[in-house]
Every structure is written in structure tokens, then in C-alpha cells.
Amino acid sequence: MTSRRIVAGLKPALFAFLLAASGALPATDAQVAKYPAYPSETPASFKPATASFDYVERDVMIPMRDGVKLNTVILVPRGAQHAGIVLTRTPYDAHQLTHNFMSGHLEPLLEGYDNAADVIAEDGYIRVIQDIRGKYGSEGDYVMNRPVHGPLNPTPVDDATDTWDTIDWLVKHIPETNGRVATIGISYDGFEPLMSLVHPHPALKAAVPMNPMVDGWMGDDWFHHGAFRQQNMSYIYEQEASRGNTYKWWTDYHDEYDLFMHYGSAGALGEAYGMRQLGFWNKILAHPAYDAFWQQQAVDKLLAAQPLTVPVMLVHSLWDQEDIYGALAVYRAIKPKDTTGRMVKLVMGPWHHGQEIEEGSSLGAIRFGSDTAKYFREHILRPFLAQYLKDGAPKADLAPVTAFQTGTDRWQRLQRWPLSCGSGCPGTDRALYLESGMQLGFAAPADGKAYDEYVSDPAHPVPFRARPIQPIGYDHGLTWSQWLVDDQREASGRTDVLSYETAPLTAPLAIAGVPVVHLVASTSGTDSDWVVKLIDVYPDQVAEQPDMGGYQLAVAMDIFRGRYRNGWDKSAALTPDKPLAYRFDLPAANHVFLPGHRIMVQVQSSWFPLYDRNPQTFVPSIFEARPADYVKATQRVYHAPGEASYIALPVVAH
């Protein structure tokens, strides 16, 4: 109190002088060096010498209709005239994505995530990448996959309006452009081209959504058939905690299996990590079922209600470990609107999430005999973009569907997808039955043991891949991108996994479409998860690649949370020990099981820690399950007459 009275009595000028002398205030003239006889070596303003670069960079803040400005990096090939624009909107740092490797040449500058750098640079396009609102250099508020204006978004702006405003600015302010724009992107950046199709700008001539986020509950990032993808908590944490992803997820464990077991439920882990501060995490906790919150923002449903006015190329990866649902869901929604057959193209490649812009001759241990990703970029993406972005370019000679058939390792030009689609199509679904003696066959069971059983113990859940389990990621040697092609022998040797198998095939068996699970099963608990895998088992010896001997390659596999058996939008307890029918889709496949190979089906009740554990006791929300709720359960899978379990395979002629 004494010091405060003394200061109050000083004259203002004297007070300011004393503060400046003590260093408490900066010098009055900020331009005067503190040590003029020994100046800083850093100039007040540095101008890079870029005259030799083959591109010109312009960093701008583009205003949106509500006054918010979005950070945008524009890269114009030097000397460009009448060039088309390739636009990506991203939450992943526009500056970083346009400066992956510093160079005076545009192609190495772009090489890396979300840039088909060879096509963009070699064909002379203007490259534009923009931070979406609320992320990195852009102003505004961030909302995960911001819903369009409506019940879930009361504001007048969304990603569709932001894209419209951005395109409008670009075609008016880039003198080197011909006024033609294509949107392109992968994953979240693939969600953005879909948003550009909602009331599209007239200058938008094409959209290329690759591996897009479409429906986070049904089968993309957040849930699969109701089971929560808890390993994605690290993404939510880093994406939402700050504008620039400066707060990093942390762990005290080398093995993610141990991390998630330590905390028990995903809800408890989120609580321990302070995630209640994050808006999207609270929305997930509040909406564990497929209610209006999820349904109203499902992009396939949104686009089904929109007119189709812009050509679209949907790109899907057959082993997409993140967003294996979205591209094909959008295809099903918008293809019926394509009355001319020229507006919607579908590409399906043998890739992990986003591998189409990388090297694509293999995935994990699986080899394809050629660089499939380069083929896509050269023979599919390049002519598609040229048709719509280049002045006077020829029409691209593309089939409605271009699909890579795994097993035979060849590209196919198809008229439709799926090939197996009921009456009038060349394919016919065939039931592959689970049988007594852990066998599989195409004849319905007539006798034999009624069921097989195992004990599912939440204290020892089945790992989704061999331990130690790595975190989600693509850097520092992580193999997250490969887990869908991991050898499934690790699981088939466990007593809590049922493995059914055919005899070696004597003829090839081709499938092209969605395998549908028809499972009859019971549990001694009141809730249960069911994981079903369709697997190609290689011969015991493979001469040309010895390490593939006996390999168990998953062709399609997924999880189903039993509480949603009677409807995705509501949960209900299961009746203990009562055989119940479960029906759900596996991801689409375009595969040939070759002669000498076997077909295997595995059934289990946990897939940890990718998905949270089902406590096997029905509770209102599994996020809030207590340790006492997690109990062992005896699981029975039935294969008796009238209670047959099978997978409906979309078999086609080979």
C-alpha cells in the first residue's frame, strides 16, 4: 500500500521518465536501435530473391460475406496465361501444404500431402490452398466439419458459402486465370470439395473429392456402426484445442493398448485429458447414437437433396483405414442424378487413405505389379482435370467406373458399381455359410453342431493389430496406413476369435460389391460388439514371395455394436443367451480369390484399442461405463438350420 501512495503522488512526466529508465517501458521511438554502434544483422524488412523461381507466390486474406478473412496461398506458374485453378481448402495449414520442400520449382514445393504435384505442376495449373475459418492463418471460429446453414448451424456462413466466396474472389483477382476452377482434396480436405457442390459457384467446373469425410457415425472417422473409434481422440484433441494445433496429444505408454486399458472407458480418458473443454468432444459424448445430429450433417444425404450441376470424380481406396465409407456413400447418393452418364466418375484403387498421390506399387506386404497411384494420376486424374480446366482440351476417355481388381491386379473399365446389384446385373449374391467344424461352404447347413462359442473378456480385448500398437500417424516410421492389410494370423490363433475356412479353391471366385453379414449370435451379457472379417488366405507356400506363405489378407472387415440391432438411432439391451439376428455391411471389395487360396471368416467381440470396449453390460452410454460394468460374456455363433450365419458375397463372373 505504501508504494502505491508514493507513485500516485508523482507528476505524470516524472513517473514516465522513471519507468523508461528502469526498462519497464519501451523506448519512445521503436525504429531507433538500442545499440546504434552495433546494429542488428536482421533487416527490418527482408525481400527474398525469387526472380529465378518458376512460380510466383501471393499470400492474401480473402474476405468472406460476413467479414471474416481467410488465409490463402496462391502459386502461379511464371508466365501463365489462361490457366485453370486447382483449389484446396484445408484445416491442416495452407502454408505448410504449399511449402513441403523449399524449392524454386513448383513441383517439389508441392510434393507431399494433398498435392497431386506432378499433374498440377506439369499441366500449368494455378495452385490455391486456403486455411478454413478458425484454423491457422484464417480468422473466424472453427467447427469440426462445419454443417451447412440450418438446424445445426444458425449462422449464415458454412464451408459451402466460404468456397463460393473464395472462388468468386479468385476469378476476379488472378489475372492469369481463364476463370475455370476445380476443387480437390483428401480426407477433411476431401469433405471440402463436396461442400463446393452445395449451391456451386458458376466458375466451379469440376470437383475431385478423394477419401472424403462424409458420415462420421456410420463408417468414417468417429464411429463404425455405433462403435466409437477411440484412437481418433488424439486428432480431436490437437485439432480443436488451438487454432494452430499447438497443443499436442501426450502419452506415458509405448503401447496404445496399455494407454487405453489404463483409463478404461473413452469417456474417462477424455476427462483425464481435459477434453471437456473441446466443443466437438462434448457433441460426441452427447450423441452416441445416430440421431438427428449425425443424420442432418451426413454429406451423402445432403447432396442427395441437391441438383447435380458440376462434374464429380469420387476417389475411393479399397483399404482406406480412415474414411472407407464416404466416397461410395456419396456415389450411391448422386449417381442416380447423372441422367447423361457424364457427370459422375468413380475411381477405386488398391490404396490406403490418400495413397493415390503417393507411390502405389504396394501396400504393406501386398504387391500390385505396377505403380497404381501413378496410373491414376496420369491416365485418370490428368485428363479429367484437363477436360474441365484447360481451354480447348479434349474430352477425357474415362469409363463411368475405373476400378482396380485385387487378386488379379488389373484395372477395369466398368459401366456401373457395384457389378452385383440384383436383377438385370451380371452378378449374383451367394451365401457363404459358417458350418460345423469351423468350415465355410456355399450349401446351407442341414445338421451338425448348432453353434460355436468363446468367452469375450473386456480385461483382455482382442488387439486390432499386433502389439505394441502404434498411435495413428504417418510420420516417424509409423505403419498406421497399413493396418487393414496386416496378416490376420495374430487374431486367428486366439481362443476368443472364431475362424471358419473353406477348402483350397479349385477355381477363381470374384466379388465386386458389398459383402453383407447375416450373423445369428447370442451373448450371456446384455450388450455386445461383433467384428466380422472376410479374409483371403494365401497358399502355405508362395514361390515368388516366400513371406506371403499362409498370409491372411483381410478383404473386408468391420464392427457392429449390438445395442443398435433394432435401429441406428436408438440403443436397447440385448436379451441374454437368446440367438438374435444381426445384419450389417462390410466395406466394398473388388477382389478375386485365386485357385489354391482359401476363404476365411473370423468372428470376435472386440477390436482394441481402435474401438472402445463394449462393457457387455448394457449402460445408457458406454462413454460413462464404470469399471464394474465390464464383465466377461459367453458368445455363441449359430450355424444350425433356421439359425444359419452367413456372408452374402457379391459374386460376379470372372
Side-chain angles (χ1 to χ4, degrees):
M1 294 296 291
T2 304
S3 61
R4 181 175 300 174
R5 283 198 299 271
I6 293 174
V7 169
L10 293 175
K11 298 289 187 182
L14 177 60
F15 179 46
F17 171 78
L18 292 174
L19 285 176
S22 69
L25 286 180
T28 55
D29 186 356
Q31 301 303 314
V32 176
K34 188 170 185 177
Y35 305 106
Y38 198 61
S40 170
E41 295 179 349
T42 302
S45 178
F46 180 76
K47 296 181 180 180
T50 60
S52 65
F53 288 12
D54 64 12
Y55 63 90
V56 176
E57 178 176 345
R58 300 168 190 157
D59 297 338
V60 298
M61 295 293 287
I62 297 180
M64 300 294 103
R65 63 191 62 186
D66 63 342
V68 166
K69 296 179 180 179
L70 303 186
N71 179 54
T72 309
V73 180
I74 302 171
L75 299 170
V76 182
R78 193 174 293 277
Q81 293 182 350
H82 300 285
I85 297 172
V86 177
L87 168 65
T88 294
R89 305 186 66 251
T90 182
Y92 300 135
D93 191 353
H95 182 270
Q96 176 61 40
L97 296 189
T98 50
H99 297 80
N100 287 306
F101 178 81
M102 284 308 301
S103 172
H105 298 293
L106 185 58
E107 185 169 342
L109 188 78
L110 293 176
E111 190 65 38
Y113 178 72
D114 226 1
N115 284 300
D118 44 3
V119 174
I120 293 171
E122 292 167 15
D123 282 17
Y125 296 122
I126 298 168
R127 184 64 170 129
V128 179
I129 300 188
Q130 179 184 76
D131 290 324
I132 63 173
R133 61 173 60 219
K135 293 302 296 183
Y136 291 92
S138 287
E139 300 172 352
D141 300 320
Y142 177 68
V143 177
M144 186 82 73
N145 297 111
R146 177 183 288 264
V148 297
H149 170 71
L152 299 178
N153 177 5
T155 74
V157 294
D158 50 40
D159 287 281
T161 64
D162 284 352
T163 306
W164 201 101
D165 294 347
T166 298
I167 292 174
D168 196 61
W169 190 96
L170 293 174
V171 297
K172 292 176 179 177
H173 292 83
I174 300 179
E176 298 91 345
T177 184
N178 59 10
R180 298 169 177 262
V181 180
T183 51
I184 191 171
I186 297 168
S187 194
Y188 201 131
D189 297 1
F191 160 82
E192 294 295 334
L194 295 176
M195 291 295 99
S196 74
L197 301 176
V198 179
H199 308 302
H201 192 283
L204 180 66
K205 303 303 180 182
V208 187
M210 299 188 284
N211 312 113
M213 300 169 73
V214 170
D215 190 325
W217 196 94
M218 286 302 299
D220 285 331
D221 290 273
W222 317 124
F223 296 83
H224 274 221
H225 299 134
F228 176 59
R229 280 198 147 201
Q230 63 181 0
Q231 271 198 302
N232 275 340
M233 291 175 68
S234 59
Y235 175 88
I236 297 170
Y237 183 94
E238 296 187 1
Q239 190 72 3
E240 291 233 325
S242 67
R243 183 179 298 267
N245 291 40
T246 52
Y247 294 102
K248 301 301 180 182
W249 182 260
W250 54 274
T251 180
D252 295 332
Y253 295 90
H254 175 64
D255 187 345
E256 293 251 301
Y257 190 102
D258 293 327
L259 168 67
F260 286 93
M261 283 298 295
H262 174 79
Y263 287 98
S265 70
L269 175 58
E271 199 71 30
Y273 274 54
M275 292 182 66
R276 285 279 191 174
Q277 303 169 75
L278 309 178
F280 186 64
W281 178 244
N282 289 321
K283 292 173 183 176
I284 283 182
L285 295 180
H287 301 280
Y290 195 57
D291 58 13
F293 173 77
W294 298 109
Q295 295 179 35
Q296 291 176 5
Q297 63 181 296
V299 181
D300 56 327
K301 295 179 175 63
L302 174 68
L303 293 179
Q306 295 282 324
L308 178 63
T309 60
V310 176
V312 182
M313 175 183 284
L314 290 156
V315 182
H316 173 72
S317 296
L318 290 165
W319 282 292
D320 189 324
Q321 80 286 0
E322 294 184 20
D323 295 307
I324 203 166
Y325 178 86
L328 293 180
V330 172
Y331 178 78
R332 290 191 298 270
I334 67 174
K335 183 58 180 176
K337 300 172 179 292
D338 185 11
T339 55
T340 65
R342 298 191 296 267
M343 296 293 288
V344 179
K345 305 295 183 184
L346 173 65
V347 182
M348 303 173 63
W351 308 310
H352 65 66
H353 186 72
Q355 192 179 0
E356 58 267 34
I357 64 167
E358 301 175 8
E359 205 279 335
S361 62
S362 64
L363 176 55
I366 313 304
R367 301 174 185 172
F368 305 122
S370 64
D371 188 342
T372 60
K374 186 174 180 61
Y375 179 92
F376 159 72
R377 296 193 302 275
E378 287 292 322
H379 300 288
I380 304 172
L381 179 63
R382 186 190 295 274
F384 179 81
L385 288 178
Q387 175 180 345
Y388 296 107
L389 294 185
K390 287 181 174 288
D391 296 343
K395 179 182 177 182
D397 179 23
L398 300 178
V401 179
T402 308
F404 191 85
Q405 186 182 67
T406 56
T408 59
D409 296 340
R410 64 190 182 101
W411 285 101
Q412 299 173 300
R413 291 171 60 93
L414 306 175
Q415 292 301 308
R416 67 178 69 87
W417 183 265
L419 290 181
S420 176
C421 53
S423 176
C425 290
T428 304
D429 287 353
R430 294 183 63 188
L432 182 63
Y433 290 95
L434 281 56
E435 299 176 344
S436 296
M438 311 308 296
Q439 301 296 308
L440 288 176
F442 289 103
D447 52 28
K449 185 180 177 183
Y451 58 81
D452 298 301
E453 70 178 25
Y454 58 95
V455 175
S456 174
D457 184 359
H460 302 283
V462 181
F464 80 100
R465 64 186 317 197
R467 297 178 64 183
I469 292 173
Q470 300 174 341
I472 289 176
Y474 295 84
D475 301 322
H476 312 299
L478 297 177
T479 59
W480 159 251
S481 61
Q482 303 173 17
W483 77 264
L484 275 179
V485 297
D486 283 353
D487 193 338
Q488 295 300 307
R489 276 180 288 200
E490 183 77 12
S492 64
R494 290 180 60 115
T495 58
D496 51 359
V497 178
L498 299 179
S499 298
Y500 300 85
E501 195 172 23
T502 67
L505 301 178
T506 58
L509 179 72
I511 60 173
V514 173
V516 181
V517 173
H518 296 261
L519 186 70
V520 180
S522 68
T523 176
S524 62
T526 50
D527 197 3
S528 180
D529 287 349
W530 303 104
V531 178
V532 176
K533 310 173 188 175
L534 177 65
I535 296 168
D536 184 342
V537 182
Y538 281 58
D540 291 333
Q541 289 187 312
V542 178
E544 66 272 20
Q545 194 178 352
D547 57 353
M548 292 300 294
Y551 200 94
Q552 295 180 9
L553 171 66
V555 174
M557 52 184 178
D558 217 334
I559 189 170
F560 179 94
R561 183 140 285 175
R563 61 176 46 215
Y564 300 112
R565 172 180 169 271
N566 294 322
W568 302 122
D569 60 340
K570 55 184 179 298
S571 62
L574 305 178
T575 303
D577 298 318
K578 180 180 180 180
L580 298 172
Y582 302 88
R583 182 189 183 281
F584 60 99
D585 293 347
L586 298 182
N590 189 38
H591 184 75
V592 177
F593 297 90
L594 297 173
H597 290 229
R598 300 171 185 259
I599 303 175
M600 175 182 283
V601 171
Q602 291 181 1
V603 182
Q604 60 199 58
S605 292
S606 52
W607 223 10
F608 189 79
L610 180 60
Y611 295 94
D612 62 337
R613 296 176 302 156
N614 192 314
Q616 302 179 158
T617 300
F618 181 82
V619 293
S621 172
I622 292 178
F623 290 113
E624 299 175 1
R626 301 164 301 176
D629 297 324
Y630 293 85
V631 297
K632 293 181 182 180
T634 299
Q635 315 287 76
R636 291 177 175 175
V637 174
Y638 289 77
H639 41 68
E643 294 180 330
S645 297
Y646 65 94
I647 295 181
L649 295 181
V651 176
V652 296
H654 175 67

